[in-house]
Amino acid sequence: MVRRIIKINEEKCNGCGLCAEACHEGAITMVNGKAKLIRDDYCDGLGNCLPACPTGAITFEEREAAAYDEEAVQAHLSAAGKAGVKENLAPGKPAAGPGAFHGGCPGSRMMNLKREPQSGDKPVPDDIPRETSGESSNPSMLGQWPVQIKLVPVNAPYFQGAHLLVAADCTAFSCGDFHRRFMKNRITIIGCPKLDQGDYTEKLTEILRNNDIKSLTVVRMEVPCCGGITHAATEALKNSGKFIPWQIYTLSLNGEVLDE
């Protein structure tokens, strides 16, 4: 029969495993670092995996394919020790427990991280006192996972209503109070334009365009290669067609904020 089914572009796939995690039927697995549709009759054609893919590697196509077979799916999940995952992850039902199978790369699984409530709903002012890094009184301000720009899903729920921080990888290591000064009450995504392949502009554009982002903050190092992350963020803001308050900070190698 001819029906709608997913198609995976291996060239675009970065091996994050988020699609395999999002597939409730276990139709996708990771083979040699790439996502693979293992059997046509495991794919229901609903596309839960599409919004989870951060690179746009998954699309729909109409082609000759075996009909979706729910009994085969249940047998597959049961044999792999995944029984009940589909029911647990169905709309309106609680997520599977800690011991349940999620598929894909566990280190890339999208999640919100619970933190102690912070006063107010706006980013902390820039003139707060700095504290020595490593003190036990300095809790992490990271609010979500993953944080790498290449890995975050464009439509992740934590982007809705978020104050977004786009930071170069090295900034948190140079600035001792980076968490309190920049990450507090913000959703943080990081990258290195010199080491990561490709440009961040398209990904950041989609994040800004598809979500209700309240503000955009960019933190970069003074080194020239960090200009790539500034360029990508500002171009994404223009391309999004939205008016969003934004600010760019440049840090010296000693972690001091320089004039931009």
Side-chain angles (χ1 to χ4, degrees):
M1 64 179 296
V2 176
R3 69 181 183 94
R4 188 172 74 163
I5 197 167
I6 66 163
K7 180 180 180 180
I8 302 173
N9 185 328
E10 289 191 11
E11 293 184 359
K12 290 186 176 181
C13 177
N14 66 0
C16 69
L18 292 174
C19 58
E21 176 189 338
C23 180
H24 302 165
E25 292 73 35
I28 300 175
T29 191
M30 306 305 295
V31 179
N32 296 326
K34 298 290 184 178
K36 297 281 188 181
L37 176 62
I38 56 177
R39 273 180 50 169
D40 288 355
D41 59 345
Y42 290 170
C43 177
D44 60 10
L46 297 179
N48 289 325
C49 54
L50 267 70
C53 178
T55 64
I58 304 178
T59 56
F60 282 124
E61 65 175 344
E62 295 279 342
R63 65 172 174 83
E64 187 73 30
Y68 172 64
D69 188 338
E70 187 168 2
E71 291 186 3
V73 167
Q74 292 300 326
H76 165 58
L77 296 177
S78 179
K82 311 171 191 177
V85 172
K86 183 176 180 181
E87 290 78 3
N88 285 336
L89 296 181
K93 293 189 178 183
F101 173 86
H102 292 281
C105 172
S108 298
R109 185 168 65 244
M110 184 180 68
M111 66 182 77
N112 288 308
L113 303 179
K114 294 182 179 180
R115 301 293 178 197
E116 292 298 320
Q118 304 295 326
S119 59
D121 58 358
K122 296 182 179 180
V124 68
D126 297 322
D127 58 354
I128 65 168
R130 296 194 173 200
E131 298 181 8
T132 303
S133 62
E135 291 182 353
S136 60
S137 60
N138 288 353
S140 171
M141 297 295 173
L142 184 62
Q144 95 291 338
W145 189 265
V147 296
Q148 230 289 338
I149 296 174
K150 295 286 188 177
L151 297 181
V152 292
V154 169
N155 295 313
Y158 45 70
F159 284 132
Q160 290 299 328
H163 295 278
L164 181 63
L165 171 64
V166 179
D169 290 0
C170 300
T171 53
F173 293 94
S174 68
C175 182
D177 63 344
F178 190 85
H179 279 241
R180 287 177 56 84
R181 183 159 190 161
F182 295 110
M183 291 174 60
K184 184 178 180 181
N185 297 322
R186 290 186 175 110
I187 291 298
T188 302
I189 56 178
I190 66 171
C192 177
K194 186 172 183 177
L195 298 180
D196 290 339
Q197 294 182 352
D199 182 22
Y200 300 131
T201 303
E202 183 177 350
K203 182 72 172 287
L204 293 177
T205 297
E206 292 304 306
I207 291 174
L208 296 176
R209 180 182 291 156
N210 296 329
N211 299 283
D212 180 24
I213 302 296
K214 298 300 184 183
S215 69
L216 172 65
T217 301
V218 180
V219 184
R220 55 163 291 184
M221 298 299 297
E222 62 177 327
V223 295
C225 57
C226 261
I229 204 163
T230 302
H231 174 77
T234 53
E235 286 299 305
L237 190 56
K238 295 176 186 177
N239 296 341
S240 72
K242 293 184 177 181
F243 177 78
I244 300 173
W246 60 283
Q247 180 70 53
I248 298 174
Y249 295 94
T250 300
L251 303 184
S252 72
L253 299 184
N254 292 324
E256 298 175 345
V257 177
L258 305 174
D259 292 335
E260 176 66 20

